[in-house]
Amino acid sequence: MEKIRRASHAGSWYTDNPEKLAEELEGWLRASGLAQSPDVRGVIAPHAGFSYSGRAAAYAFANIDPTNISRVFLLGPSHHYYTPKCALSTATAYKTPIGDLPIDLEVIEELKATGKFESMDIRIDEAEHSMEMHLPYLAKVFEGYHVKVVPILVGAVNAENEAMYGEMLAKYIDDPYNFFSVSSDFCHWGSRFNYTYYDKKHGPIHKSIEALDRMGMDIIETGDPDAFKQYLLEYDNTICGRHPISVFLHMLKNCSSKIRIKFLRYEQSSHCKSSRDCS
């Protein structure tokens, strides 16, 4: 039975016009000036509306060499639905305005068989934007190639279970045909996000936010999930993909492949200068 997840955020978070979308994505990918590399096995990329994050996201997706990749694992946080576990999509394909991405039902069944995952209803799937915002870029980069996706919604997973999921998923990194797309924005600053940490020694608020984010990025680059956990406990930075990133770090720790993490781009949606601002 076919069960298609609609591109529910097309027309609001990004354009639903296929020509315009393709043109935007191609423009951003070109502007990054980056070459495709078969060494790149995964990305951590944002999921805000494309008018805010589309340009920055290109610095992740432009690196992908689609030639030998046959499967993309998507790890995205849950914004609206509470679960202490990871949840699997029940769809058979994810729609985008520029082409659909079929879901790897075999791997979904394999994961389901562990008994550690729940299944998410199509309504929950369509309400969530964190993985959908990666789909247009994936559809663009893998245009003309046969690739399947494995969407995993990462809930409010505790540290012990982040490690458990990381150990369980690590073997998929050792298969060179697999790719990983981890969805996360960084600091959400301002009273509407209930987060207004400000260290004045950095000057304007936006510089303080950048210093805080870069501290987190540096820790993620070490690949140490425990150090990342410590950083989050200390600063409570509003990194919405903290759980997907942590699961991914545990995967890297438990796989046989040697994977290095390197951040290529940092942007903010706007520059906060006063306590009334948000970014």
Side-chain angles (χ1 to χ4, degrees):
M1 198 185 83
E2 287 246 299
K3 199 172 178 187
I4 312 289
R5 180 203 182 277
R6 294 175 303 125
S8 47
H9 294 73
S12 50
W13 290 56
Y14 56 99
T15 178
D16 54 4
N17 176 320
E19 290 77 28
K20 193 163 177 259
L21 182 59
E23 199 181 307
E24 272 184 356
L25 296 170
E26 283 161 12
W28 285 323
L29 288 166
R30 236 192 346 266
S32 75
L34 295 165
Q36 297 180 341
S37 161
D39 293 339
V40 176
R41 295 289 315 282
V43 293
I44 297 172
H47 56 239
F50 276 175
S51 61
Y52 301 111
S53 77
R55 183 180 61 172
Y59 286 81
F61 294 104
N63 294 280
I64 304 174
D65 181 347
T67 323
N68 295 315
I69 296 163
S70 54
R71 189 185 292 116
V72 177
F73 285 77
L74 282 160
L75 298 173
S78 180
H79 287 84
H80 310 293
Y81 169 68
Y82 175 79
T83 172
K85 293 181 171 181
C86 286
L88 302 167
S89 178
T90 52
T92 57
Y94 272 10
K95 212 170 190 41
T96 89
I98 54 171
D100 301 349
L101 294 160
I103 288 186
D104 194 323
L105 302 175
E106 234 168 275
V107 174
I108 295 278
E109 283 309 314
E110 203 174 286
L111 295 174
K112 216 184 272 181
T114 63
K116 300 289 186 196
F117 294 82
E118 40 176 87
S119 292
M120 64 170 145
D121 181 275
I122 196 87
R123 288 192 309 271
I124 292 164
D125 202 340
E126 289 183 341
E128 181 51 60
H129 63 274
S130 70
M131 294 188 280
E132 179 180 341
M133 297 309 293
H134 282 201
L135 302 177
Y137 264 118
L138 293 172
K140 186 82 214 132
V141 170
F142 287 98
E143 211 169 10
Y145 292 87
H146 289 292
V147 73
K148 290 180 174 180
V149 293
V150 181
I152 302 173
L153 184 76
V154 182
V157 182
N158 66 24
E160 196 182 325
N161 285 334
E162 285 173 346
M164 179 270 292
Y165 284 116
E167 279 166 37
M168 187 193 294
L169 295 166
K171 66 171 187 181
Y172 295 105
I173 291 188
D174 292 324
D175 177 344
Y177 297 107
N178 290 337
F179 189 87
F180 302 84
S181 202
V182 181
S183 183
S184 186
D185 298 330
F186 273 64
C187 185
H188 296 59
W189 197 93
S191 53
R192 81 185 182 96
F193 300 116
N194 291 321
Y195 191 76
T196 50
Y197 174 86
Y198 179 25
D199 183 346
K200 292 187 172 58
K201 78 161 181 273
H202 296 291
I205 294 170
H206 66 90
K207 286 287 190 203
S208 163
I209 297 169
E210 178 167 355
L212 180 68
D213 276 343
R214 287 199 183 274
M215 192 193 306
M217 289 153 72
D218 290 347
I219 289 167
I220 292 166
E221 286 183 350
T222 69
D224 182 348
D226 301 321
F228 184 50
K229 194 42 88 251
Q230 229 10 79
Y231 161 81
L232 291 170
L233 282 170
E234 192 170 335
Y235 295 98
D236 204 27
N237 191 0
T238 41
I239 298 174
C240 53
R242 55 173 69 193
H243 298 298
I245 291 171
S246 298
V247 168
F248 189 58
L249 292 177
H250 280 288
M251 286 161 68
L252 298 183
K253 195 171 139 182
N254 287 282
C255 69
S256 322
S257 319
K258 193 82 200 82
I259 308 259
R260 242 174 13 98
I261 299 176
K262 178 101 184 79
F263 282 95
L264 299 184
R265 184 77 175 172
Y266 178 79
E267 291 186 16
Q268 295 172 353
S269 60
S270 64
H271 281 164
C272 291
K273 295 181 177 72
S274 96
S275 59
R276 289 182 305 280
D277 296 340
C278 66
S279 73

